[in-house]
Amino acid sequence: MKPKAYIDGKEGTTGLQIYERLGGRDDIELLLIDEDKRKDTEERRKFLNAADIVFLCLPDAAAREAVSLIGNDTTRVIDASTAHRTAAGWDYGFAELSRAHRAAVAASKRVANPGCHASGFISSVYPLVAHDIIPADCALTCASLTGYSGGGKKMIAEYQDENRDARHDSERIYGLNLQHKHLPEMEYICGLMQPPVFVPIVGDFYKGMATTVMLPGVDAQLVHETLAAHYEGQKLVHVAPLGGDEPVIYANTMAGHDSLRLIVCGHAEQAIVTALFDNLGKGASGAAVQNMNIMLGLDETTGLTV
């Protein structure tokens, strides 16, 4: 029998993107709730308990509620919200970080899908801490440029409005309280002793992300060698040649792809690492489908655009 998948919150940006990746597949049975009952708690309960795999594409409180509605020990959950990324009993859904992470996802009943900005930061920093290239108490700085689709339907409408604020033509820095919701997982998953100083930025392009970590006093070549060795053989995380593919980096380079590309630049005394990916791909829906594939024992790239 085909595994049954249900998307709770299919009408949101992440849910729609997951639906697009699953809708044409013949190896998954996609359970679809009636539109007029998608907020009916009892109807949702039926679907949540009927599915083998559930994707939660909901606000944090609603995601916690959805988990509470599951009354069996067979339904496996992939939560795309922030609610469970550092929670006990949940596995972090970034399989490329280590063999232990991949094995945990494969066996898990509860997987927390990474945040978009966090995916860029963690993909760069986790291996450097794990291999003692930078210390766990390192004071890190990170800037992350994203397309406006990362803000969901409201921000998409705001940027696509023909009468929009003219300032949207330029980049917008936000999260100025330095308490962005992705910071806890950045610190926790990388084993850091303090959160980075993190600056998120929205640009006037639909999708794509460039997350750059600054590494003063660190040899760029050593960083490159470490990351290249760490991710060798991975299908959805790749490391570019030292210095990148060209002397500039465009944030939307990986738009439309579900993979992530790391670019190391610098010299013997300073380095930067930029993670290039699609905020809707490896930063959200693509990662969720990849996790589902791993949990079901399928090729992790099935239904994805590498």
Side-chain angles (χ1 to χ4, degrees):
M1 293 177 61
K2 297 179 183 179
K4 297 180 176 66
Y6 172 59
I7 306 169
D8 197 6
K10 184 177 74 68
E11 31 321 295
T13 305
T14 299
L16 286 171
Q17 289 277 324
I18 293 174
Y19 177 75
E20 286 182 9
R21 287 164 173 79
L22 297 184
R25 289 177 57 166
D26 58 8
D27 58 341
I28 300 290
E29 181 183 345
L30 196 54
L31 304 180
L32 299 174
I33 195 169
D34 289 343
E35 283 297 309
D36 60 347
K37 293 185 177 180
R38 60 186 177 85
K39 293 187 178 181
D40 183 300
T41 300
E42 291 309 310
E43 190 70 8
R44 286 174 57 227
R45 188 195 304 272
K46 293 177 185 177
F47 277 80
L48 289 165
N49 284 279
D52 298 299
I53 292 274
V54 166
F55 296 92
L56 302 181
C57 304
L58 304 164
D60 288 4
R64 294 187 185 98
E65 179 200 33
V67 174
S68 74
L69 296 176
I70 298 173
N72 65 72
D73 61 359
T74 57
T75 296
R76 305 171 77 180
V77 179
I78 300 170
D79 183 9
S81 81
T82 315
H84 298 106
R85 291 174 185 162
T86 61
W90 288 73
D91 296 298
Y92 196 69
F94 203 122
E96 293 89 355
L97 294 183
S98 70
R99 291 181 179 176
H101 282 86
R102 183 175 291 276
V105 171
S108 185
K109 293 287 181 67
R110 299 289 185 266
V111 171
N113 214 53
C116 54
H117 295 292
S119 293
F121 179 86
I122 291 168
S123 63
S124 300
V125 173
Y126 178 93
L128 300 180
V129 174
H131 296 287
D132 297 319
I133 304 303
I134 58 176
D137 63 354
C138 187
L140 294 171
T141 304
C142 176
S144 188
L145 177 58
T146 181
Y148 58 77
S149 60
K153 286 187 172 181
K154 183 177 179 180
M155 183 173 284
I156 292 170
E158 180 184 341
Y159 269 79
Q160 294 183 348
D161 187 340
E162 61 181 14
N163 298 313
R164 72 181 192 174
D165 189 329
R167 293 177 297 174
H168 288 353
D169 293 351
S170 67
E171 283 65 44
R172 175 166 62 173
I173 300 170
Y174 67 105
L176 300 180
N177 63 359
L178 301 184
Q179 293 179 330
H180 191 277
K181 66 179 182 178
H182 291 177
L183 282 169
E185 65 187 286
M186 292 177 180
E187 181 180 1
Y188 177 73
I189 299 301
C190 292
L192 299 175
M193 297 176 67
Q194 58 184 320
V197 176
F198 173 60
V199 180
I201 307 163
V202 176
D204 186 18
F205 56 100
Y206 183 71
K207 60 184 180 180
M209 183 167 273
T211 304
T212 300
V213 179
M214 275 61 81
L215 300 170
V218 183
D219 183 350
Q221 183 164 341
L222 178 59
V223 170
H224 181 266
E225 290 172 355
T226 302
L227 293 176
H230 187 87
Y231 290 114
E232 184 178 5
Q234 296 294 338
K235 295 180 178 180
L236 291 167
V237 177
H238 309 110
V239 180
L242 181 61
D245 305 299
E246 54 183 326
V248 294
I249 298 174
Y250 289 94
N252 67 349
T253 299
M254 297 297 289
H257 295 269
D258 292 306
S259 52
L260 180 150
R261 188 165 177 81
L262 292 170
I263 300 176
V264 181
C265 301
H267 46 75
E269 298 178 358
Q270 291 181 330
I272 62 170
V273 185
T274 298
L276 276 179
F277 56 109
D278 187 336
N279 56 290
L280 299 179
K282 185 61 170 166
S285 306
V289 173
Q290 178 190 3
N291 284 322
M292 181 201 74
N293 289 335
I294 294 170
M295 293 164 76
L296 294 177
L298 306 173
D299 185 297
E300 64 186 309
T301 64
T302 304
L304 301 178
T305 301
V306 179

